[in-house]
């Protein structure tokens, strides 16, 4: 397997969220008598004797208390969300000596993050590095560490399948990649490390102990909010938004990367942590009050652990991939699977769509280049007695199919079942068992690595041809046939159908799959017409029907014959005049039975109660 090495240079400037707001919104800022009026105003300032009254009025306004003698009226109200372009409209406060004062009243947002105040200013953000394979794309994202020492590659990724420079005679330097994010962008929460990995690649350990396929590097600099107006009080640095300071990163020693953490979580590598050496919340914390901790340390009732398997591995288009969560705690779930869709990823589970069960199987999609698909597993949750676990992420590398790969075909047979009731689900699968004479539908689907469309043919085996089965083409990709009638008391018959899918792209490669249909013999059916006991004559009459050829029926009563010490029993004869399949028998001078059981030589059985007459 090819191993890929990285050399990563990270130039990531984090501007932390929540505090990059107008200085006025920080302080409910106001411009009053003690400040200089705009230069284009020619109105005299109020006398000093009135300044204290004006300041009192302004303080009351800021506090939301309107004095009845307030002489000021706002000509243009400024409220939360009011757009401001250029100079602010001012309010004129006409005082008793015909002087004026202009003031501004800005309303803050009580610590919330409204969309009309910019909260994130991640500019000039870039991640750069080198890889040994310029033909493979790169996934780039934050590396998160929680308070239990788990290290994960943040999903969705900041960038997925980012191209690598091919070098001369093409563009750039061979093997180099430079990810420059758009102006702005949301990189919250701030991470201690930034990582990159090969898209669609696998990760592991070299013999020297270094990881291959992924690399991470510490974030070199964090930029906190700064004043937007010189001279204003500096905004508070929001350390509580840095989760590795707020929650800690768990027990020592630190795991070296995502691969090691995944191996420990799956139990493949031993737990290296020292239980008495924990990195918890930073104390003393550089804030006015301690922020709430958002991660719970310790042993959990629910732990999600997921793996994937495919043959071959890594899979390509059409190969079945199985996600397995049975290594989780508790191992019987319940389980919820969802897909984390990175930009450019094929969709297996749409946004908001989930799958349940301990395993989830899907068919690998066709990709133009090696791609990593990411799935999330959560154990427990709402509607369950099991508390929800922290999510576990499973990365499935999918590669383009090798040259000359034929179509991958899936086939199935479907039977509507012994009843047309909507309460009975159809029987479908690659091997199904049906009744004699059942109507069967064959279907074929598949993935063409060449990107063409597939046409399907359905070929019965020699046994099916000998049994007279005729396969009739139906809708595209389907065909139908009627199962033969297998005689009663004979063995079931098995028929195999070859489903062939042919690509529309030259050289028109084909792929095949087989479907097996097992046809059971006819079952012997006994239908009881009537069972009548006449008390006055001590006579029992039993009438029934069974249309299986050459069958014989026996009627057995649930009372003991005192002469033989076994239940009364006798073989039933054909009715007179003779009618094929119609049987009758009379018992005379016997006490009234409670139940009659009729059995046939073809394996049928029927039981009936008694109708009593005089």
């Amino acid at each position: 397997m090819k191993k890929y090495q990285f050399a990563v240079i990270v130039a990531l400037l984090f501007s932390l969220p929540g505090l990059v707001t107008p200085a006025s919104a920080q302080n409910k800022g106001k411009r009053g008598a003690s400040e200089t009026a705009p230069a284009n105003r020619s109105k005299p300032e109020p006398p000093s004797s009135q300044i204290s009254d004006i300041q009192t009025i302004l303080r009351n306004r800021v506090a939301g208390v309107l004095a009845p003698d307030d002489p000021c009226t706002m000509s243009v109200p400024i409220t939360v969300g009011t757009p401001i372009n250029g100079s602010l409209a001012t309010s004129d406060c006409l005082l008793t000596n015909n002087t004026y004062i202009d003031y501004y009243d800005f309303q803050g947002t009580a610590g919330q993050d409204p969309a009309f105040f910019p909260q994130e200013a991640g500019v000039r953000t870039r991640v750069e590095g080198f890889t040994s394979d310029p033909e493979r794309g790169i996934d780039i994202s934050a590396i998160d560490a929680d308070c239990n020492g788990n290290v994960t590659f943040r999903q969705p990724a900041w960038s997925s399948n980012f191209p690598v420079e091919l070098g001369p005679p093409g563009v750039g330097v061979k093997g180099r990649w430079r990810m420059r994010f758009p102006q702005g962008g949301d990189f919250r929460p701030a991470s201690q490390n930034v990582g990159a990995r090969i898209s669609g690649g696998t990760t592991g350990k070299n013999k020297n102990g270094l990881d291959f396929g992924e690399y991470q590097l510490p974030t070199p600099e964090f930029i906190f909010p700064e004043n937007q107006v010189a001279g204003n009080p500096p905004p508070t640095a929001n350390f509580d938004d840095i989760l590795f300071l707020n929650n800690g990163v768990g027990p020592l020693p630190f795991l070296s990367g995502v691969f090691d953490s995944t191996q420990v979580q799956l139990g493949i590598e031993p737990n290296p942590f020292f239980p008495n050496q924990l990195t918890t919340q930073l104390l003393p914390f550089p804030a006015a009050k301690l922020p709430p901790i958002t991660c719970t340390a310790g042993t959990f009732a629910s732990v999600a652990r997921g793996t994937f398997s495919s043959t071959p591995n890594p899979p390509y288009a059409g190969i079945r991939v199985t996600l397995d969560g049975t290594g989780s705690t508790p191992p019987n779930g319940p389980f919820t699977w969802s897909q984390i869709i990175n930009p450019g990823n094929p969709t297996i589970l749409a946004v908001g769509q989930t799958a349940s069960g301990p395993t989830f199987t899907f068919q690998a999609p066709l990709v133009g280049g090696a791609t990593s698909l990411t799935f999330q597993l959560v154990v427990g949750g709402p509607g369950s007695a099991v508390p929800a676990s922290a999510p576990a992420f499973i990365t499935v590398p999918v590669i383009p199919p090798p040259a000359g790969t034929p179509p991958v075909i899936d086939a199935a047979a479907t039977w509507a079942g012994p009843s047309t009731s909507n309460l009975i689900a159809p029987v479908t699968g690659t091997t199904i068992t049906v009744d004699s004479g059942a109507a069967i539908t064959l279907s074929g689907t598949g993935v063409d690595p060449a990107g063409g469309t597939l046409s399907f043919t359905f070929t019965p085996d020699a046994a099916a041809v000998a049994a007279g089965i005729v396969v009739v083409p139906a809708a595209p990709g389907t065909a139908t046939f009627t199962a033969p009638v297998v005689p009663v008391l004979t063995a079931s018959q098995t028929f195999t159908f070859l489903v062939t899918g042919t690509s529309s792209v030259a050289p028109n490669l084909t792929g095949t799959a087989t479907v097996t249909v097992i046809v059971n013999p006819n079952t012997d059916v006994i239908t009881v017409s009537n069972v009548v006991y006449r008390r006055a004559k001590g006579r029992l009459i039993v009438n029934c029907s069974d249309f299986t050829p050459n069958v014989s029926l026996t009627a057995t009563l649930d009372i003991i014959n005192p002469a033989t010490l076994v239940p009364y029993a006798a073989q039933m004869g054909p009715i007179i005049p003779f009618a094929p399949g119609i049987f009758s028998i009379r018992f005379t001078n016997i006490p009234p039975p409670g139940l009659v059981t009729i059995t046939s030589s073809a394996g049928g059985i029927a039981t009936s109660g008694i109708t009593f007459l005089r």
Side-chain angles (χ1 to χ4, degrees), residues 447-547:
V447 175
D448 183 9
T453 58
L454 296 174
S455 58
F456 293 90
T457 58
F458 302 85
T459 306
D461 64 0
V465 173
I469 292 177
V470 177
V471 178
V472 180
T478 64
T480 62
F481 72 92
T482 301
V485 176
V486 180
V488 175
L489 299 181
T490 62
S492 299
Q493 296 185 14
T494 301
F495 308 103
T496 302
F497 301 83
L498 181 68
V499 182
T500 303
T502 304
S503 171
S504 61
V505 178
N508 307 114
L509 297 175
T510 62
T512 61
T514 58
V515 173
T516 300
V517 178
I518 302 171
V519 182
N520 283 330
N522 258 340
T523 54
D524 183 59
V525 179
I526 302 173
T527 302
V528 178
S529 302
N530 56 71
V531 179
V532 178
Y533 182 83
R534 292 189 175 272
R535 298 180 185 276
K537 300 180 179 180
R539 179 187 300 167
L540 177 70
I541 304 173
V542 181
N543 295 313
C544 65
S545 61
D546 187 337
F547 297 99

Side-chain angles (χ1 to χ4, degrees), residues 1 24 61 110 204 207 220 263 298 310 363 369 412 445 456-457 463 471 491 501 512 529 571 595 600 605:
M1 179 182 293
S24 54
R61 278 182 168 271
K207 291 184 178 179
Q263 299 297 95
S310 67
Q363 199 172 50
T445 59
F456 293 90
T457 58
V471 178
T512 61
S529 302
Q571 184 172 331
L595 207 63
S600 79
I605 185 170

Side-chain angles (χ1 to χ4, degrees), residues 331-425:
N332 58 344
F335 305 90
T336 302
W337 300 93
S338 58
Q339 183 184 3
I340 305 297
I341 303 176
N342 286 303
N345 278 175
T347 300
I348 305 299
L349 292 171
V351 175
Q353 182 183 5
T354 60
S356 59
T359 62
F360 169 60
T361 300
F362 65 94
Q363 199 172 50
L366 182 63
V367 294
T371 301
S372 294
L373 302 183
T374 303
F375 296 87
Q376 175 181 284
L377 171 63
V378 174
V379 179
S384 165
V386 179
S389 70
F393 299 101
I394 302 92
T395 300
V396 180
V398 180
I399 62 174
T405 300
V408 179
I409 305 301
D410 282 327
T414 302
W415 173 41
S419 170
T420 57
S421 170
N422 292 331
L423 300 178
I424 299 178

Side-chain angles (χ1 to χ4, degrees), residues 177-503:
W177 44 273
R178 288 179 167 180
M179 180 66 222
R180 286 176 170 83
F181 294 94
Q183 189 80 355
D186 191 346
F187 305 97
R188 295 176 290 181
S191 67
Q192 195 171 14
N193 294 281
V194 175
R197 65 185 184 187
I198 290 288
S199 298
T202 57
T203 59
K205 288 285 186 184
N206 289 310
K207 291 184 178 179
N208 60 6
L210 298 179
D211 293 354
F212 64 83
E214 65 182 8
Y215 191 79
Q216 67 186 51
L217 202 64
T219 303
E221 185 175 5
F222 296 89
I223 298 178
F224 289 91
E226 300 175 356
N227 287 341
Q228 293 187 337
V229 178
N232 282 349
T236 304
N238 52 328
F239 288 99
D240 52 339
D241 286 333
I242 305 180
L243 293 187
F244 59 85
L245 298 181
N246 182 14
N247 295 326
V249 291
L252 296 175
F254 298 129
L255 294 175
S256 62
V258 177
F259 176 77
D260 283 334
S261 180
T262 301
Q263 299 297 95
V264 171
Q265 292 177 54
L266 293 175
I268 299 174
E269 290 184 6
N271 189 328
F273 299 128
F274 300 120
N276 60 342
Q277 297 186 26
L278 301 176
T279 56
T280 57
Q281 188 177 66
L282 182 63
L283 291 175
F285 200 88
K289 62 179 180 179
L290 286 178
I293 295 176
T294 58
C295 176
T296 304
T299 302
F300 301 97
S302 305
V303 179
R305 298 185 180 93
T307 60
F308 85 93
S309 60
S310 67
T311 303
N313 186 5
Y316 50 82
I319 299 299
R320 291 198 168 275
V321 180
T322 298
L323 305 178
D324 190 339
T326 54
S328 302
T329 302
N332 58 344
F335 305 90
T336 302
W337 300 93
S338 58
Q339 183 184 3
I340 305 297
I341 303 176
N342 286 303
N345 278 175
T347 300
I348 305 299
L349 292 171
V351 175
Q353 182 183 5
T354 60
S356 59
T359 62
F360 169 60
T361 300
F362 65 94
Q363 199 172 50
L366 182 63
V367 294
T371 301
S372 294
L373 302 183
T374 303
F375 296 87
Q376 175 181 284
L377 171 63
V378 174
V379 179
S384 165
V386 179
S389 70
F393 299 101
I394 302 92
T395 300
V396 180
V398 180
I399 62 174
T405 300
V408 179
I409 305 301
D410 282 327
T414 302
W415 173 41
S419 170
T420 57
S421 170
N422 292 331
L423 300 178
I424 299 178
V427 179
T428 187
T430 56
T431 299
I432 64 172
T433 301
V434 303
D435 289 348
S436 289
I440 309 299
T441 299
L442 302 175
S443 59
T445 59
V447 175
D448 183 9
T453 58
L454 296 174
S455 58
F456 293 90
T457 58
F458 302 85
T459 306
D461 64 0
V465 173
I469 292 177
V470 177
V471 178
V472 180
T478 64
T480 62
F481 72 92
T482 301
V485 176
V486 180
V488 175
L489 299 181
T490 62
S492 299
Q493 296 185 14
T494 301
F495 308 103
T496 302
F497 301 83
L498 181 68
V499 182
T500 303
T502 304
S503 171

